[in-house]
Amino acid sequence: MAGKKREIQLQTVINSQTLWEEMLQNKGLTVIDVYQAWCGPCKAMQTLFRKLKNELNEDEILHFVVAEVDNIVALQAFKDKCEPVFLFSLNGKIVAKVTGANAPLVNKNIITLISDERKIIAGEMIRPQYQEVLLADSDSEDAGELIYDSVEQYSIAIIKPDVVITGKVIELKEKIISAGFVIEAETGTIFTEEEVRDVYSDIADQPDFEDFVSFMTSGLSYIVVISQGDEEEAENPNLDEYGEIFENESEVEVKRASIESKAKRDSLQEYLERQHISQFCDVEGNVEKVNRLIDIFFPDFRNKKELKLEKILVLLRPDILQHRKEDVLKVIQNEGFKILMERQLVLSEVEARTLCKRFEDEDYYGTLIGNMTRLCAKFAMDSLPICQLHGSDSLEAAEREIQLLFPPQNTLAMIKPHVTPKEREEILKLIKENGFEMIQAKYMIMNEESAEKIYSKIKGRDFYKSLLDMLAEGPSLVMMLRKWNAILDWRRLMGPVDPIEAKLLSPDSIRAVYGRSILKNIVHGSSSLMEAQDTISKIFNEFVTEHPEEN
């Protein structure tokens, strides 16, 4: 009986799909002995497993299980196979398979994976990207060796509030890209005090750290995930090795070939220091800390990298829009696409010619442009020898066409001073979840002069003095938000002015959830394109917009 007890302790029994899915949540390495009910687990390997568990599992990152094929949907491909099979699950991903009781190869894989996992936890190496074993293809040739995908090393750059407020983020990013680095993801964020203390814990003992915390929480920062990129693709950077950032470099004579070669070899931190621009952003290269920051600020980053999500523009031409719109949209969604934005519009001739450029040499080009620039039913659906659906034919074309038909728009938004820190954090999360990009942000204690920049159209109203008193109670967070249809979408997200009315008409809106009264209704936003443009220019007077015609 004692022997039986030790066996149960060594290998956990998995005999249902639910238990299988729970097992995939194990942290570290799980070695799975896949067996059929009629023949049982592989007894010959248990001595090796017990030895490895005793030697390697002091930190409890090595697990052994036996999985019964008959009752586990994920393992049906192994059904009716008589040869032993061992799977290796690393943090829920099957990274290797060994067919047969090949003890030396099983031993090698376990030791390699556990050794690497400990180095990763200690921050001594980046996590390798293993090719996942497809369980549906159990008969494929597999020597059981670990196979690695190409590995990317990431750095995190934190662009500080003083750089953001001067509108130099784009220029700084362009310089990083010109040196051959790749920006994998980016987001604007208002650091909380706790986040600053966590991220910058290594300098917490410096005498001016409290001033630094105040500075980093004073406005918008940019968090940027950066990879090295391909050295062959690094452009010749048009930089002055001894000059300052953001100066006109067109007349500067430098040894460009030397700089290009050096930029390819440099780490991001080395490159920024050599260009004398390291003071504009902080770079984090420690693997463990980078992974933690990615998990905090980019929770979907790894999923998106793995899935390689892409955006494409789809255009329903006039005939199919009128007759089959709902059918087409249903097919699109059934095929797994998510519709991010949609609008119905009459194309200008310039827009139509841009989208139909590929057909400009065809005889029917003129008719096509006429059809695309007016919504009418006089053209039959078979009137033109082209598909009534248009889809971008490349990622570059998709980006151009999305910008053409869904141009970004800016709006001014404000979170008023009477919110709690937790409420402010929740509202900022809502802003991001609703697709807004935060371009600028800063805290302001509103005096009469600054309040007039935002509320000029209601100056002189009976309640204006009460409004000024309320705004003077503490700092407001003033933001410039950007997305297509930003002004209307932000007003919808805010909800009606009166929180009581908002609870009835728009119960999920910000004012319905957080509002206290008409005066303390939590948020403010521009009501028109002209107002947004005017207010943004007054509040962020050093900011030069990329899209002045859209503001």
Side-chain angles (χ1 to χ4, degrees):
M1 295 296 293
K4 183 70 174 176
K5 184 177 180 181
R6 285 197 304 272
E7 186 174 308
I8 293 173
Q9 290 176 339
L10 173 65
Q11 294 170 291
T12 303
V13 176
I14 305 295
N15 55 14
S16 70
Q17 182 65 26
T18 300
L19 290 175
W20 171 267
E21 292 170 358
E22 290 178 0
M23 178 273 299
L24 292 178
Q25 303 303 313
N26 286 349
K27 298 298 183 184
L29 174 65
T30 302
V31 182
I32 308 162
D33 179 354
V34 177
Y35 74 96
Q36 328 262 335
W38 59 269
C39 66
C42 181
K43 303 287 186 182
M45 299 293 286
Q46 290 178 359
T47 301
L48 172 64
F49 291 162
R50 187 170 292 109
K51 173 178 177 290
L52 290 171
K53 189 166 187 175
N54 290 334
E55 292 177 353
L56 300 178
N57 203 33
E58 60 186 26
D59 41 10
E60 299 184 348
I61 59 172
L62 176 59
H63 316 274
F64 293 95
V65 307
V66 289
E68 183 183 330
V69 169
D70 304 67
N71 296 319
I72 301 173
V73 175
L75 299 179
Q76 289 306 292
F78 296 100
K79 198 170 183 179
D80 300 325
K81 310 294 181 187
C82 60
E83 204 170 11
V85 173
F86 300 92
L87 302 176
F88 300 80
S89 171
L90 191 62
N91 299 315
K93 181 178 180 180
I94 307 299
V95 299
K97 176 181 75 175
V98 173
T99 303
N102 188 337
L105 184 53
V106 170
N107 182 70
K108 176 184 175 183
N109 281 351
I110 293 174
I111 291 175
T112 298
L113 288 166
I114 289 296
S115 175
D116 287 351
E117 193 67 12
R118 285 179 176 156
K119 290 177 182 176
I120 292 164
I121 293 172
E124 297 172 1
M125 67 176 286
I126 61 173
R127 183 174 297 281
Q129 300 298 309
Y130 301 97
Q131 288 185 9
E132 187 162 12
V133 174
L134 300 178
L135 300 183
D137 188 18
S138 66
D139 291 327
S140 61
E141 292 295 325
D142 190 346
E145 294 283 359
L146 297 170
I147 303 174
Y148 299 86
D149 287 338
S150 59
V151 178
E152 290 182 282
Q153 172 142 11
Y154 300 114
S155 298
I156 295 284
I158 301 175
I159 303 177
K160 300 174 186 177
D162 55 344
V163 178
V164 176
I165 202 66
T166 56
K168 298 298 185 181
V169 173
I170 293 174
E171 198 166 350
L172 179 57
K173 290 191 298 183
E174 286 175 349
K175 288 183 179 292
I176 291 172
I177 293 169
S178 72
F181 296 96
V182 176
I183 293 178
E184 301 284 355
E186 60 181 288
T187 188
T189 188
I190 307 287
F191 275 110
T192 64
E193 182 176 327
E194 292 74 19
E195 287 172 339
V196 176
R197 294 186 186 281
D198 179 31
V199 172
Y200 290 95
S201 58
D202 54 329
I203 61 169
D205 57 348
Q206 294 188 5
D208 57 351
F209 184 66
E210 293 304 317
D211 291 337
F212 179 75
V213 172
S214 297
F215 162 67
M216 289 299 295
T217 56
S218 65
L220 183 67
S221 296
Y222 263 82
I223 316 294
V224 187
V225 182
I226 298 171
S227 65
Q228 289 280 28
D230 297 327
E231 291 188 2
E232 293 78 5
E233 295 179 3
E235 297 178 6
N236 186 2
N238 184 18
L239 302 171
D240 173 11
E241 189 168 8
Y242 306 102
E244 294 296 327
I245 188 172
F246 312 141
E247 291 183 356
N248 186 342
E249 300 166 329
S250 61
E251 304 299 323
V252 177
E253 292 295 327
V254 294
K255 296 180 179 179
R256 303 187 188 281
S258 173
I259 294 178
E260 179 183 10
S261 175
K262 200 170 184 179
K264 291 178 186 177
R265 294 194 305 270
D266 284 348
S267 69
L268 178 60
Q269 181 64 49
E270 290 167 338
Y271 170 73
L272 294 175
E273 289 175 355
R274 187 166 49 78
Q275 296 302 325
H276 309 293
I277 55 179
S278 59
Q279 71 271 29
F280 295 104
C281 64
D282 296 322
V283 176
E284 180 57 64
N286 177 274
V287 174
E288 184 178 7
K289 199 164 183 179
V290 166
N291 287 336
R292 187 157 56 86
L293 291 174
I294 288 176
D295 289 340
I296 293 172
F297 294 105
F298 306 93
D300 297 326
F301 175 75
R302 290 180 176 83
N303 290 337
K304 289 180 179 179
K305 287 289 290 181
E306 185 174 335
L307 294 174
K308 297 181 180 178
L309 299 181
E310 299 173 352
K311 292 181 182 179
I312 187 172
L313 181 125
V314 176
L315 182 75
L316 279 63
R317 294 192 169 99
D319 292 331
I320 199 169
L321 176 66
Q322 290 190 9
H323 302 291
R324 302 289 302 278
K325 174 188 174 183
E326 296 305 321
D327 293 337
V328 173
L329 294 182
K330 185 176 180 180
V331 170
I332 289 172
Q333 292 174 320
N334 288 344
E335 289 296 321
F337 291 94
K338 182 178 180 180
I339 299 174
L340 299 176
M341 301 178 288
E342 64 175 284
R343 63 184 296 201
Q344 183 170 317
L345 75 165
V346 178
L347 295 176
S348 68
E349 184 171 343
V350 172
E351 291 169 334
R353 290 184 182 277
T354 300
L355 291 172
C356 300
K357 186 174 178 60
R358 73 180 82 169
F359 304 113
E360 62 185 356
D361 294 330
E362 303 293 342
D363 294 339
Y364 52 79
Y365 180 66
T367 304
L368 174 62
I369 296 302
N371 179 262
M372 293 284 285
T373 54
R374 56 187 177 270
L375 286 171
C376 57
K378 73 176 185 179
F379 293 108
M381 291 191 68
D382 58 355
S383 63
L384 294 171
I386 60 169
C387 178
Q388 286 295 310
L389 289 171
H390 166 84
S392 307
D393 57 10
S394 68
L395 290 177
E396 293 76 13
E399 186 173 352
R400 289 195 306 270
E401 292 168 357
I402 290 171
Q403 288 287 319
L404 176 69
L405 296 184
F406 295 92
Q409 185 183 75
N410 297 331
T411 191
L412 184 116
M414 182 171 71
I415 301 177
K416 297 178 181 179
H418 46 278
V419 298
T420 66
K422 185 175 184 297
E423 289 173 334
R424 184 185 296 111
E425 187 176 336
E426 291 172 352
I427 293 169
L428 290 173
K429 184 178 179 182
L430 279 173
I431 288 171
K432 183 176 292 187
E433 288 175 348
N434 280 270
F436 291 93
E437 181 184 1
M438 195 183 302
I439 304 300
Q440 288 285 351
K442 62 181 178 180
Y443 285 99
M444 299 177 65
I445 296 181
M446 295 286 175
N447 55 29
E448 187 171 355
E449 180 183 357
S450 56
E452 187 178 343
K453 295 177 181 179
I454 297 175
Y455 291 99
S456 58
K457 67 180 182 180
I458 61 170
K459 185 180 178 181
R461 298 275 188 93
D462 293 341
F463 59 84
Y464 190 66
K465 177 63 168 59
S466 298
L467 175 66
L468 293 179
D469 292 341
M470 181 274 294
L471 292 174
E473 291 176 3
S476 296
L477 178 58
V478 187
M479 302 165 287
M480 172 182 166
L481 304 180
R482 174 177 294 167
K483 67 176 290 191
W484 175 71
N485 210 28
I487 295 170
L488 183 58
D489 283 0
W490 173 240
R491 296 191 69 79
R492 285 174 178 163
L493 185 58
M494 288 193 300
V497 173
D498 186 345
I500 296 176
E501 183 182 351
K503 291 179 191 298
L504 295 173
L505 301 179
S506 185
D508 294 328
S509 65
I510 293 173
R511 286 167 172 161
V513 175
Y514 302 102
R516 291 138 167 84
S517 65
I518 293 180
L519 197 61
K520 294 185 175 182
N521 61 2
I522 297 292
V523 286
H524 168 80
S526 302
S527 59
S528 68
L529 205 60
M530 184 176 296
E531 181 187 327
Q533 183 178 14
D534 180 61
T535 311
I536 287 170
S537 66
K538 289 176 180 176
I539 297 295
F540 301 105
N541 55 355
E542 295 183 14
F543 181 77
V544 180
T545 177
E546 286 183 279
H547 305 278
E549 72 282 1
E550 295 299 336
N551 289 342

